[in-house]
């Protein structure tokens, strides 16, 4: 009996020390994070003076310098070989071709109106036409397309989703090029994505990574989409069979753009676990400002998207600088998220420590909130760190909510996916939103998303719960991983060379 009682005491003591530990973590978080300071980061980053932090703008570099200065202040150290907080992300800007026309019979098309270029090079003159309903790659041969303009409908027989057209388009272009065609002209008639939207999306200055996209960056072929809503042009060409078309196209202008990730680390305290890194990512770019408005607010301040996220990782830097957890922490304020997750993709391709030493990524991003009792976590149930995310949110009086809009596939639309796709368990921590309602759309990518419109009491709890969650995950005994059956589990097993 005595023995058992002793055991009981031990169990109670063990339970008690767990409780004390939990209390200490909460207290430590409260004592080390100054939430007024967290708020001040938002006021600075989302100020009008930074003009919406557009990637490639001079103002985003001021944001980068500010973030680096905070790292320095809080004890985050450089991790790049050069001893700098700045990781250069080489980008290039591509402008639409200045010239783009197509003319056949009574039909004429011009760029920015009813024609857009997917790839462009200098072409000018009249060429014979090869007309085919879809011009699938297997239909093309040098005998039928060499020296000709291929004209066909976009997409494929029986396929009505225009999003899928881009994939077919790439395959057709490859085959057209290989078989010596002069150009590929695809006719777009779908209403699922209105032509005007497509035009806005494709006929603008675009940013992309300067390397790594060799296939698309070649840009040595004429490939255009034209708008043929009633298939009139297609019918005309099919009826008269053989004809020529007049094409005029000019190359797209490319300029290199300098962009920067701001990167640093806090070394862990555990002799073994410190070789494992928890990556905290938040994009600090936003979408800039609009021109030509007469004295009206024209700056997209991006307070919610994503000054809040940057403030959260800076709060963690403040909490951890003098009180590091067992695992090491990597801080990544990344650029180019709004241009296609460019900064995080570059970081994943060029990590300052081996990618398989990064055992977890807690990204923080969000388009806004409509429920200040909640924290929305994309991928809440998808990793074995779930319990720590839940308890940390509860400990500051908030309620965790897993992906509230699964149809939007938000998990795969933020920087975390640059890491998740490589196998790193990577949820995204977001302010509380329950659905894409009016309250969200009032601020999402709007000039109204400024620092004066935020609820700082809520944000204080939000920041503290984030910092606490990171501490608990960084102190976990077992290494966090994907839950069984997750779509990225296999990628994780390969990355970390785990047994089946
Ligand atoms: Zn955004």
């Amino acid at each position: 009996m005595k023995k058992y009682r002793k055991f009981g005491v031990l169990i109670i003591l063990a339970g008690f020390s767990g409780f004390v530990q939990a209390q200490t973590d909460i207290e430590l978080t409260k004592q080390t994070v100054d939430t007024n300071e967290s708020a001040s980061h938002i006021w600075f980053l989302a100020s009008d003076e930074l003009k919406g932090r557009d990637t490639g703008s001079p103002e985003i570099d001021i944001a980068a310098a500010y973030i680096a200065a905070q790292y320095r202040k809080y004890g985050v150290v450089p991790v790049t070989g050069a001893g700098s907080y700045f990781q250069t992300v080489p980008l290039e800007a591509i402008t639409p071709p200045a010239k783009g026309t197509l003319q056949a019979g009574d039909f004429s098309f011009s760029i920015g109106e009813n024609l857009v270029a997917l790839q462009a090079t200098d072409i000018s003159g009249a060429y014979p036409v090869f007309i085919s309903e879809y011009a699938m790659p297997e239909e093309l041969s040098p005998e039928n397309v060499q020296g000709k303009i291929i004209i066909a409908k976009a997409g494929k027989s029986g396929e009505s989703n225009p999003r899928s057209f881009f994939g077919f388009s790439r395959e057709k272009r490859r085959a057209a090029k290989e078989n010596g065609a002069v150009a590929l002209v695809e006719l777009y008639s779908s209403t699922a994505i209105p032509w005007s939207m497509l035009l806005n999306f494709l006929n603008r200055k675009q940013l992309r990574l300067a390397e790594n996209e060799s296939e698309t960056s070649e840009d040595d072929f004429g490939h255009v989409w034209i708008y043929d809503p009633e298939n009139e042009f297609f019918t005309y060409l099919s009826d008269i069979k053989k004809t020529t078309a007049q094409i005029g196209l000019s190359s797209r202008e490319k300029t290199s753009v300098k962009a920067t990730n701001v990167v640093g680390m806090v070394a862990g305290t555990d002799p073994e676990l410190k070789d494992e890194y928890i990556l905290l990512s938040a994009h600090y770019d936003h979408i800039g400002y609009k021109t030509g408005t007469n004295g009206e607010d024209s700056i997209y301040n991006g307070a919610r998207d994503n000054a809040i996220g940057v403030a959260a990782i800076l709060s963690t830097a403040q909490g951890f600088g003098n009180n590091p957890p067992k695992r090491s922490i990597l801080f990544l304020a990344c650029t180019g998220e709004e241009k296609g997750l460019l900064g995080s993709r570059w970081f994943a391709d060029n990590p300052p420590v081996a990618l398989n030493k990064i055992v977890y990524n807690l990204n923080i991003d969000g388009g806004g909130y409509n429920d200040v009792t909640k924290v929305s976590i994309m991928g809440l149930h998808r990793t074995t760190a779930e319990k720590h995310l839940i308890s940390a949110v509860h400990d500051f009086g908030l309620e965790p909510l897993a992906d509230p809009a699964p149809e939007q596939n938000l998990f795969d639309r933020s920087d975390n996916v640059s890491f998740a796709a490589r196998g790193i368990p990577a949820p995204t921590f977001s302010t509380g939103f329950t659905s894409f309602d009016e309250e969200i759309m009032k601020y999402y990518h709007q000039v109204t998303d400024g620092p004066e419109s935020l609820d700082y009491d809520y944000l204080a709890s939000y920041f503290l719960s984030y910092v606490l969650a990171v501490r608990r995950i960084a102190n976990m005994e077992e290494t966090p991983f994907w839950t069984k059956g997750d779509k990225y589990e296999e990628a994780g097993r390969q990355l970390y060379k785990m047994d089946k």
Side-chain angles (χ1 to χ4, degrees):
M1 282 306 278
K2 236 181 173 177
K3 233 185 194 168
Y4 282 117
R5 204 183 291 150
K6 228 182 192 168
F7 232 78
V9 169
L10 277 177
I11 288 165
I12 289 164
L13 275 177
F16 185 69
S17 82
F19 173 74
V20 169
Q21 187 57 46
Q23 277 304 313
T24 323
D25 284 347
I26 298 170
E27 285 310 313
L28 185 62
T29 303
K30 283 194 214 162
Q31 283 160 15
T32 53
V33 178
D34 176 351
T35 53
N36 285 326
E37 203 160 308
S38 312
S40 77
H41 301 315
I42 300 176
W43 281 97
F44 182 81
L45 292 168
S47 63
D48 281 355
E49 285 71 14
L50 293 200
K51 291 189 181 164
R53 309 183 304 280
D54 200 15
T55 302
S57 72
E59 292 82 11
I60 195 175
D61 289 340
I62 301 172
Y66 176 84
I67 295 163
Q70 307 309 308
Y71 282 178
R72 196 178 293 281
K73 174 166 99 183
Y74 295 141
V76 173
V77 300
V79 66
T80 62
S84 155
Y85 291 110
F86 303 117
Q87 179 187 45
T88 299
V89 181
L91 302 181
E92 59 186 14
I94 305 153
T95 49
K99 195 173 90 181
T101 55
L102 185 86
Q103 196 259 317
D106 288 340
F107 293 83
S108 67
F109 304 89
S110 58
I111 194 153
E113 288 167 34
N114 45 12
L115 182 150
V116 289
L118 277 77
Q119 275 201 6
T121 185
D122 294 316
I123 312 172
S124 170
Y127 295 90
V129 162
F130 171 77
I131 177 99
S132 155
E133 185 157 24
Y134 288 102
M136 298 310 284
E138 59 276 12
E139 297 171 52
L140 308 182
S141 68
E143 289 71 45
N144 59 21
V145 304
Q146 194 157 47
K148 295 181 186 170
I149 299 173
I150 301 172
I151 302 184
K153 293 179 185 170
K156 170 181 151 174
S157 175
E159 181 58 72
S160 60
N161 180 1
R163 279 178 198 29
S164 72
F165 292 2
F166 293 97
F168 300 125
S169 225
R170 264 194 299 277
E171 290 167 32
K172 292 181 198 181
R173 176 169 70 228
R174 201 171 299 144
K177 251 164 94 167
E178 273 169 19
N179 290 296
V182 171
L184 170 63
V185 175
E186 292 184 275
L187 313 179
Y188 185 83
S189 63
S190 172
T191 49
I193 298 178
W195 174 256
S196 59
M197 214 179 193
L198 211 60
L199 200 61
N200 274 338
F201 180 69
L202 295 171
N203 200 53
R204 64 188 165 115
K205 185 170 152 187
Q206 294 177 56
L207 281 183
R208 63 188 186 192
L209 289 173
E211 291 173 32
N212 273 339
E213 288 178 319
S214 51
E215 203 270 328
T216 50
S217 61
E218 278 177 19
D219 211 16
D220 58 357
F221 190 67
H223 182 189
V224 303
W225 279 15
I226 63 182
Y227 187 43
D228 187 26
E230 310 291 339
N231 292 311
E232 280 180 34
F233 186 50
F234 182 78
T235 311
Y236 164 77
L237 290 172
S238 308
D239 286 353
I240 60 165
K241 301 281 180 228
K242 251 188 187 156
T243 186
T244 58
Q246 184 87 28
I247 190 168
L249 194 62
S250 63
S251 313
R252 299 193 284 186
E253 202 178 299
K254 274 184 225 169
T255 46
S256 58
V257 171
K258 181 191 149 267
T260 309
N261 288 331
V262 193
V263 184
M265 71 166 278
V266 165
T269 54
D270 186 276
E272 275 165 32
L273 291 181
K274 73 175 195 189
D275 286 337
E276 295 185 352
Y277 292 80
I278 307 290
L279 172 65
L280 307 183
S281 55
H283 76 87
Y284 72 100
D285 68 299
H286 193 52
I287 57 171
Y289 58 93
K290 47 185 174 185
T291 45
T293 43
N294 249 333
E296 286 163 36
D297 185 6
S298 58
I299 298 166
Y300 299 101
N301 302 79
R304 289 162 181 76
D305 185 9
N306 182 32
I308 287 179
V310 177
I313 68 170
L314 291 176
S315 305
T316 317
Q318 186 179 36
F320 289 13
N322 293 320
N323 300 278
K326 291 178 181 168
R327 288 188 178 79
S328 297
I329 307 293
L330 276 175
F331 295 85
L332 168 63
C334 49
T335 188
E337 189 271 353
E338 304 283 7
K339 311 293 181 203
L341 316 180
L342 302 178
S344 58
R345 281 166 56 200
W346 178 260
F347 184 92
D349 285 338
N350 302 275
V353 301
L355 210 58
N356 64 7
K357 299 224 167 205
I358 302 174
V359 297
Y360 193 82
N361 165 228
L362 191 54
N363 181 50
I364 188 157
D365 192 6
Y369 56 88
N370 54 12
D371 187 339
V372 295
T373 65
K374 294 195 171 62
V375 171
S376 297
I377 302 173
M378 271 25 86
L380 175 62
H381 305 306
R382 293 175 61 173
T383 74
T384 57
E386 173 186 6
K387 56 181 180 287
H388 299 298
L389 292 168
I390 293 173
S391 72
V393 169
H394 279 156
D395 283 339
F396 285 102
L398 298 169
E399 202 51 50
L401 182 64
D403 201 342
E407 76 288 353
Q408 292 271 349
N409 194 21
L410 293 173
F411 185 93
D412 286 346
R413 280 174 47 187
S414 187
D415 291 304
N416 62 311
V417 75
S418 299
F419 306 107
R422 301 297 196 90
I424 299 170
T428 290
F429 205 85
S430 297
T431 43
F433 80 102
T434 48
S435 67
F436 276 98
D437 64 2
E438 257 174 59
E439 179 63 16
I440 297 290
M441 299 323 282
K442 198 167 137 193
Y443 299 104
Y444 179 72
H445 284 205
Q446 301 296 326
V447 295
T448 44
D449 184 12
E452 70 291 338
S453 67
L454 300 176
D455 178 339
Y456 289 96
D457 288 335
Y458 165 63
L459 287 178
S461 308
Y462 176 76
F463 291 139
L464 294 172
S465 62
Y466 178 79
V467 178
L468 180 60
V470 176
R471 184 173 293 281
R472 288 187 177 152
I473 295 165
N475 286 336
M476 272 170 79
E477 246 169 70
E478 71 285 8
T479 305
F481 194 58
W482 296 101
T483 47
K484 258 205 161 2
D486 193 276
K487 77 167 175 175
Y488 294 120
E489 183 192 3
E490 185 48 39
R493 291 191 172 276
Q494 285 187 19
L495 176 68
Y496 303 118
K497 300 185 174 66
M498 292 160 80
D499 297 328
K500 294 277 143 127

